[in-house]
Amino acid sequence: MAKVGDVDNRPVQQGFRRESDEGGPVAGKEGGGDGGIEMKKELGLMDGVAIIVGVIVGAGIFVSPKGVLLYSGSIGVAIIVWILSGVLSMVGALCYAELGTMIPKSGGDYAYIGEAFGPLPAFLYLWVALLILVPAGNAITAITFAQYLLQPLWPTCEPPYESVRLLAAVITCLLTAINCRNVKWVTRVTETFTGMKVLALLVITGAGAYHLMSGNTELLEAPFANSKIQPGFIAVAFYNGLFSYSGWNYLNFVTEELKDPYRNLPRAICISMPVVTIIYVITNIAYFAVLPPDEMLSSQAVAVTFAEKMLSFMAWTMPLFVACSTFGSLNGAIFASSRLFFVGARNGHLPAALSLININCLTPIPSLLFLCALTLLLLFIRDVFAIINYVSYVEILFIFISVAGLLRLRQKAPDAHRPIKVSLIVPVVFLLTAGFLVIFSVFESPMEVGIGTLVILLGIPVYYVTIGKPWGWLTQKSQTFNRFCSKLFLCMPNSEKLD
C-alpha cells in the first residue's frame, strides 16, 4: 500500500483555506510549504470526560452484568470483580496518560506500540482492530440500539431480524454523517446522550435504594454463597467486567484534537474513571437487591427485567434509556475509532486515501466512510456476537503490549519529555493482572484464544505483502484510489509528518 508521501498527483494546494485551531480562517500555504491541513483542536476537558463516559457507559451495564455473576458464582465476588475491574481500568488509564502526553498523537495503542516495538506489532494491532474489533463492536452497539428501540412495538416477542438490521444500518449511517460534518456536533450529541444514560442509571440506583430502605435486604444476606474462586473462572469474570469498562482508552485516539492535551487528558481520565466505577458498583448493588441470581442469569436484559419489577407502568422507559445509551456510545466510538484508521493510513499502513481531510469540515471523511462500510458489512452477519467473543482476549493482549511499551520507552528514551510520569508500580501491577487474565483464559476458553491468535498471525504475511515489500501494481492502485478520493470528497493530505 502506498504511503502518504508516495502520492505524486495531489490536488492543487494553492488557494485552499482552512480553519485555525480557534475557528478562524487561515490562508492556504503557498509553494514551498507542505500545503496540508490539520484537524482542529476543539475538544475541551468536559468534552473529553463526556467522550470517555459516553463510550464506556454503553449497553454493557444495562444488558449483561449477568456475565460477571455467571463466572463469579456469588453476589459478593461479583461486586469485588466490578470494583477491581474499575480499579484496573483506572490503572491502565493512568499508564495511557503517560503514553498519551509523551506521544501526543492520535491513534492510541497503535501509536504507542509503534513507538515502542516498531511497525510490525503496530500493524498487527491495526489489522485486528480493522478486521474485527472496531467494526464488530460498533455493529453490536448499533444492533443493541435497534433491538431496544423497537422492543416496545413487539412487547411479547423479539423484533423481526430485518427490522433490527435495517434500523441499525440507518443509525450507523446517520451518526457517520454527523461525524463527517462537524466535530462540535459530535460532542454535543455525546454530551446529551451521556446525560440521559447517567439519568437512567440514577433511576436504577434510586429504585434499588428505595427497595433496600424498605427492608428488602434478604437477597444480600449471604453475599459469598456459591462463590467460584478458580483462577479460570475469575479471569473470565474479569473479562466480562472489563468489557463493560471498555472504551477508557478511546480519548487517546483523538489526542491531536484535544485542547492542551498535557493537562486535559489526565484530568479527563481522573474525573471520568472513578465516576464510572462508583456508578457501576452502585447500579449492580441495586440489581442484586431486587433480582435473585437465577432470575438475573435468565434475563436477556437485566435493566429491563429490573424495570418490570420496580417501575411498574413506567417500565417501558427502560428500553428507551438503553437505546439512548447505545446511541451515544456508538457516536463516541465512531468518532474515536475512525481516527485510528486515519493515523494508520497516515503512516502508510493503510491506503493513503484514509488519511485525507475534507477542506471544509476538517474531518477525515474517507476514514469515517470506510469504517461505516465495514460496520454495515458485519451488521448482516447473524453470529456477529460470536465473532467478537472469539477475539475478546486480543484486546486485553494488545493493551498489555501497550503498557509494556511504557516500560520499553523508559529504557529506550529515558530523557524524553514526560509531562506525566506514573510510579513504576502502576504499570507493573497492570501487567501482572493483565498477564494473569491472558494466561488463565487459555485454560478456560482455549478455542476463543486459538482463533484470536490465528487472526493476529494472519496479519504477518499481509504486512510483508502490502507494507514490507509491496507489489508494484498494489502501490499504483493505491495512488489511483487516493487521487479519486481527493477529488470526490474535496480532501487534502494531513499536514502532520508521518508518525
Side-chain angles (χ1 to χ4, degrees):
M1 296 182 187
K3 297 184 179 180
V4 177
D6 294 335
V7 180
D8 299 319
N9 299 316
R10 292 174 175 169
V12 177
Q13 297 170 354
Q14 285 79 3
F16 279 132
R17 298 170 68 84
R18 64 176 174 88
E19 298 296 316
S20 70
D21 291 347
E22 294 74 30
V26 177
K29 297 179 182 180
E30 298 295 330
D34 58 25
I37 54 177
E38 301 176 15
M39 293 183 288
K40 293 189 289 185
K41 291 183 179 292
E42 292 192 312
L43 305 179
L45 173 60
M46 295 314 298
D47 295 325
V49 172
I51 287 173
I52 295 175
V53 176
V55 172
I56 292 177
V57 184
I61 189 61
F62 297 105
V63 178
S64 56
K66 65 179 184 179
V68 176
L69 179 61
L70 176 64
Y71 290 101
S72 60
S74 69
I75 293 173
V77 175
I79 293 295
I80 292 173
V81 169
W82 280 104
I83 294 172
L84 294 182
S85 293
V87 172
L88 182 62
S89 298
M90 180 68 182
V91 170
L94 290 174
C95 296
Y96 274 58
E98 175 174 331
L99 289 167
T101 52
M102 177 188 175
I103 309 169
K105 304 172 183 177
S106 294
D109 302 75
Y110 169 74
Y112 312 146
I113 293 173
E115 288 283 345
F117 300 110
L120 177 56
F123 174 82
L124 293 178
Y125 172 78
L126 187 67
W127 164 258
V128 173
L130 169 71
L131 194 63
I132 294 179
L133 286 181
V134 171
N138 290 354
I140 289 172
T141 304
I143 291 169
T144 304
F145 165 84
Q147 284 176 330
Y148 283 91
L149 192 64
L150 294 175
Q151 189 63 60
L153 302 179
W154 283 271
T156 60
C157 61
E158 288 288 324
Y161 171 86
E162 294 77 8
S163 300
V164 170
R165 263 44 181 195
L166 181 59
L167 181 56
V170 168
I171 203 63
T172 299
C173 293
L174 173 63
L175 288 175
T176 298
I178 292 173
N179 275 266
C180 287
R181 184 65 185 90
N182 192 294
V183 171
K184 273 298 181 184
W185 291 4
V186 176
T187 58
R188 290 191 185 105
V189 169
T190 300
E191 290 163 0
T192 300
F193 284 90
T194 296
M196 294 186 69
K197 67 181 70 177
V198 171
L199 175 62
L201 293 174
L202 289 176
V203 169
I204 293 173
T205 55
Y210 172 80
H211 187 74
L212 286 173
M213 287 188 293
S214 300
N216 301 298
T217 60
E218 60 276 4
L219 293 179
L220 302 179
E221 290 176 355
F224 291 96
N226 302 315
S227 296
K228 299 177 182 177
I229 57 174
Q230 296 92 330
F233 284 113
I234 295 295
V236 179
F238 265 100
Y239 271 137
N240 283 271
L242 292 171
F243 174 77
S244 291
Y245 284 96
S246 62
W248 51 263
N249 58 336
Y250 267 44
L251 191 60
N252 292 65
F253 288 179
V254 296
T255 305
E256 293 173 19
E257 295 168 80
L258 189 65
K259 297 176 182 176
D260 194 4
Y262 295 144
R263 297 179 60 193
N264 286 334
L265 177 61
R267 287 183 176 183
I269 290 170
C270 291
I271 292 172
S272 57
M273 291 310 303
V275 169
V276 171
T277 303
I278 292 170
I279 290 175
Y280 273 16
V281 172
I282 295 176
T283 300
N284 274 276
I285 292 174
Y287 287 149
F288 292 132
V290 173
L291 301 175
D294 57 344
E295 191 171 346
M296 182 179 289
L297 293 175
S298 64
S299 172
Q300 295 300 313
V302 174
V304 175
T305 305
F306 178 93
E308 290 171 353
K309 296 192 70 170
M310 293 299 298
L311 301 184
S312 185
F313 67 94
M314 293 297 291
W316 63 271
T317 61
M318 194 53 64
L320 181 62
F321 277 134
V322 175
C324 291
S325 174
T326 51
F327 184 89
S329 182
L330 180 60
N331 177 66
I334 289 173
F335 172 72
S337 56
S338 65
R339 271 58 177 179
L340 169 63
F341 302 135
F342 165 81
V343 174
R346 190 172 67 187
N347 288 358
H349 285 171
L350 289 174
L354 300 183
S355 68
L356 298 174
I357 302 175
N358 180 266
I359 62 174
N360 297 315
C361 303
L362 298 181
T363 55
I365 289 180
S367 180
L368 285 161
L369 295 179
F370 176 68
L371 175 59
C372 179
L374 289 174
T375 303
L376 293 177
L377 182 64
L378 290 179
L379 279 177
F380 297 96
I381 299 177
R382 285 186 179 270
D383 61 347
V384 65
F385 292 92
I387 293 175
I388 200 67
N389 286 336
Y390 276 114
V391 295
S392 60
Y393 104 101
V394 175
E395 185 171 14
I396 208 83
L397 175 63
F398 277 103
I399 291 175
F400 177 94
I401 295 172
S402 295
V403 176
L406 184 152
L407 301 181
R408 168 66 175 158
L409 288 171
R410 285 194 180 183
Q411 179 187 40
K412 182 179 175 181
D415 299 325
H417 179 55
R418 291 177 172 84
I420 298 173
K421 188 174 182 179
V422 298
S423 170
L424 185 63
I425 193 66
V426 174
V428 170
V429 167
F430 185 89
L431 290 174
L432 290 175
T433 308
F436 163 83
L437 296 178
V438 171
I439 292 170
F440 281 98
S441 65
V442 174
F443 301 103
E444 189 62 33
S445 305
M447 177 65 72
E448 289 82 353
V449 171
I451 295 295
T453 303
L454 180 62
V455 171
I456 296 173
L457 295 178
L458 285 175
I460 297 176
V462 173
Y463 174 83
Y464 284 107
V465 169
T466 60
I467 310 298
K469 294 182 180 180
W471 295 342
W473 66 269
L474 193 60
T475 300
Q476 184 179 5
K477 292 293 184 182
S478 180
Q479 292 176 350
T480 302
F481 181 66
N482 181 67
R483 291 192 294 270
F484 172 77
C485 289
S486 296
K487 297 173 183 178
L488 180 63
F489 300 116
L490 294 178
C491 291
M492 289 180 63
N494 180 238
S495 66
E496 295 288 332
K497 297 179 180 179
L498 292 179
D499 297 337

